[in-house]
Amino acid sequence: MTIDFSFPPEIEELRLKVRDFMATVVRPVEEKAEGNAWERKDWVQAIIEMRGQAKEWDLWLPHMPKEWGGMGLGPTAMASVSAEAARTGIGSFVLNCQAPDEGNMHTLLHWGTEDQNERYLRPLCEGTARSCFAMTEPEVAGSDPTLIQTRGYQDGDEWVLNGHKWFISGARGARFAILIARTEDDPDIPQAANSAFLVDLPSDGWEVVRDIETMSGGHNHCEIRIEDLRVPAANMLGGRGQGHLLGQARLGPARLAHCMRWLGQAETALEMMIDRSLNRYAHGSLLAEKQGIQWMIADSTMELYQSKLMVLHAAYRIEQGLPFKTEVSMAKHFVANSLWRIIDRAIQVHGALGYSEDTPLSGMLKQARWSRFADGADEVHQMTIARGAIASWKDTGAVKLATGDLPL
Ligand SMILES: Cc1cc2nc3c(=O)[nH]c(=O)nc-3n(C[C@H](O)[C@H](O)[C@H](O)COP(=O)(O)OP(=O)(O)OC[C@H]3O[C@@H](n4cnc5c(N)ncnc54)[C@H](O)[C@@H]3O)c2cc1C
């Protein structure tokens, strides 16, 4: 038997160290900020200090190779770090492994030239710059990148870009964007119409129209107008028409990184649910002693367990260089939906308190809602999963390949 569900001792030690860092360094700052209605400048100062501490604790840039100043962790080890970091609101940012920079760093590492990486990847790794990824457009379905309308044409040594984007996370204050635009009129396959560009920000022709107000407030997800934006030809990332390959290489691991953070949120919600049920008394017994409440705890526990297994297995497949597309789709769909259900049950067990803003649960629920369509809507992942299952059956007469290719 070679199945081993334990981390090597050094990774388990690291997991506990991240937990300790979040509890002793990050959480107290978040509590102070909540109690004192901090302004942006207070946050900036606190984050600089916490990032300094993350470096002192040797927890900086966990997902990047050592030659880029990172810790060189693979996807399975990252699952433990990201889940622990997500037990706080800004833990991932403090360690410099937050979305969308984390995905952009992987993208640059994979696709960037030496020059591009010195200019764009280096400052991200050093934590002196932030970035954004600009693909989705209000006029067409973000689920289908072949519909992208932002266009680029070459003019000498430059590309000229025109279009409209929205929900571009982190755009305000970003030092650069990875922008996806249609450059090919007659591609061999519809997916090969788009290219990616590195856009220095701020730039003439890149206008941040607004920070879109969402159901959980404004979180720097911006609408962008692009008008005659000029980008040097040397700033194309990857080759012409390779935008879809770049997106795929980025989105698999980036989607899983989201799932890792959601595990931390789901676990926090389950712990809160249990804690509340052990302290609330009604109709002759504690809530924890009532079967109706135990079912909610049981369902949430099972879903968290399944989520952890799916994330770890998908991370394992990425680490081993095995195909991972359907496993990541299954994990993304399952964890996103479990997250929503677990937080919702935690709110139910808290009663009116859960509905109030006195606990983090209401904010967590509102945040959790976007997980079901950002980075691939549920139905699009279901389409991928079903296609995989049908192909597996047709090609092999079995569905083993589509169910994680497990030895069962
Ligand atoms: C908080 C947040 C942050 C984001 N950050 C970024 C970012 O940084 N950069 C970026 O480029 N984008 C970002 N997005 C956009 C996100 O990637 C898109 O919302 C997503 O790709 C879906 O596109 P859409 O919103 O246009 O929905 P649409 O594509 O219009 O889909 C709407 C709905 O249609 C259904 N649907 C779509 N296709 C199918 C199908 N084949 N079968 C059945 N049903 C289907 C699904 O229910 C789907 O939810 C962000 C979104 C949010 C909410």
Side-chain angles (χ1 to χ4, degrees):
M1 285 289 286
T2 53
I3 296 174
D4 181 356
F5 287 100
S6 59
F7 280 133
E10 66 277 12
I11 300 299
E12 178 58 13
E13 208 176 293
L14 172 66
R15 186 181 75 78
L16 295 173
K17 191 172 169 185
V18 177
R19 178 169 284 219
D20 188 21
F21 181 82
M22 294 302 148
T24 57
V25 176
V26 180
R27 193 63 205 132
V29 172
E30 289 186 338
E31 277 164 11
K32 199 168 159 195
E34 281 155 20
N36 293 290
W38 272 9
E39 291 175 16
R40 191 180 139 72
K41 66 172 177 26
D42 303 314
W43 270 113
V44 171
Q45 187 54 37
I47 284 172
I48 291 171
E49 282 167 24
M50 284 189 287
R51 283 187 150 194
Q53 284 178 275
K55 286 177 186 159
E56 281 167 24
W57 283 54
D58 289 328
L59 292 176
W60 181 251
L61 202 62
H63 59 293
M64 288 299 281
K66 294 202 165 121
E67 57 269 32
W68 286 93
M71 295 169 65
L73 299 182
T76 49
M78 268 313 288
S80 71
V81 170
S82 290
E84 292 298 339
R87 295 171 68 87
T88 63
I90 51 163
S92 300
F93 192 80
V94 171
L95 306 187
N96 198 13
C97 58
Q98 71 285 352
D101 294 315
E102 184 197 36
N104 286 350
M105 288 187 222
H106 282 306
T107 307
L108 284 164
L109 196 62
H110 194 82
W111 292 91
T113 63
E114 218 171 291
D115 280 355
Q116 288 172 340
N117 283 349
E118 275 312 315
R119 274 189 72 185
Y120 297 100
L121 181 56
R122 181 75 63 197
L124 281 190
C125 293
E126 289 171 348
T128 54
R130 287 195 300 95
S131 62
C132 61
F133 186 82
M135 184 155 108
T136 308
E137 304 180 352
E139 293 81 7
V140 290
S143 304
D144 183 356
T146 65
L147 303 175
I148 283 176
Q149 291 182 349
T150 297
R151 288 211 156 244
Y153 66 88
Q154 198 158 9
D155 183 21
D157 279 351
E158 291 181 320
W159 281 86
V160 184
L161 303 162
N162 283 282
H164 189 196
K165 302 284 181 185
W166 81 338
F167 272 93
I168 308 310
S169 303
R172 207 182 279 281
R175 174 88 64 84
F176 70 92
I178 297 178
L179 172 69
I180 307 292
R182 187 177 179 97
T183 54
E184 312 306 310
D185 285 330
D186 194 16
D188 290 342
I189 50 167
Q191 289 82 352
N194 301 327
S195 305
F197 296 91
L198 288 159
V199 179
D200 289 297
L201 298 177
S203 265
D204 285 346
W206 171 280
E207 182 203 351
V208 177
V209 179
R210 59 176 173 142
D211 178 350
I212 298 165
E213 194 64 18
T214 71
M215 63 191 276
S216 73
H219 295 283
N220 204 358
H221 305 300
C222 296
E223 179 181 349
I224 312 287
R225 279 267 172 217
I226 298 156
E227 269 177 30
D228 293 333
L229 172 70
R230 289 188 166 263
V231 177
N235 276 28
M236 185 178 274
L237 182 59
R240 279 183 73 151
Q242 290 193 337
H244 65 303
L245 299 177
L246 183 132
Q248 277 168 19
R250 175 183 194 280
L251 277 177
R255 279 171 179 149
L256 203 61
H258 273 317
C259 295
M260 294 168 186
R261 291 185 277 268
W262 297 335
L263 290 180
Q265 290 282 294
E267 190 158 279
T268 302
L270 175 56
E271 288 170 1
M272 289 177 72
M273 190 190 316
I274 296 171
D275 191 56
R276 181 72 177 171
S277 71
L278 286 168
N279 288 293
R280 197 71 165 169
Y281 184 90
H283 303 117
S285 64
L286 289 171
L287 294 185
E289 292 164 46
K290 298 183 190 303
Q291 205 171 39
I293 301 294
Q294 288 173 356
W295 286 343
M296 282 195 261
I297 293 173
D299 288 347
S300 303
T301 305
M302 287 189 286
E303 285 172 11
L304 182 57
Y305 172 50
Q306 284 166 279
S307 298
K308 287 183 178 184
L309 286 175
M310 290 173 99
V311 167
L312 278 176
H313 188 239
Y316 164 85
R317 290 188 66 85
I318 295 176
E319 205 156 279
Q320 298 296 315
L322 297 166
F324 58 78
K325 198 172 171 202
T326 50
E327 287 77 11
V328 168
S329 275
M330 288 190 279
K332 160 74 173 57
H333 183 288
F334 189 82
V335 181
N337 282 274
S338 299
L339 175 70
W340 173 262
R341 288 191 295 263
I342 294 171
I343 298 172
D344 182 58
R345 291 186 199 113
I347 288 176
Q348 187 68 15
V349 172
H350 279 71
L353 176 64
Y355 191 62
S356 77
E357 295 286 334
D358 289 358
T359 81
L361 289 170
S362 67
M364 285 161 67
L365 188 82
K366 279 183 267 183
Q367 277 289 323
R369 190 61 189 85
W370 63 256
S371 63
R372 289 190 48 213
F373 46 83
D375 275 359
D378 281 355
E379 294 79 0
V380 176
H381 288 297
Q382 284 168 296
M383 188 169 75
T384 303
I385 296 162
R387 278 181 183 159
I390 293 164
S392 174
W393 172 252
K394 277 184 167 170
D395 296 347
T396 66
V399 291
K400 181 173 176 291
L401 283 179
T403 49
D405 201 13
L406 293 166
L408 290 172

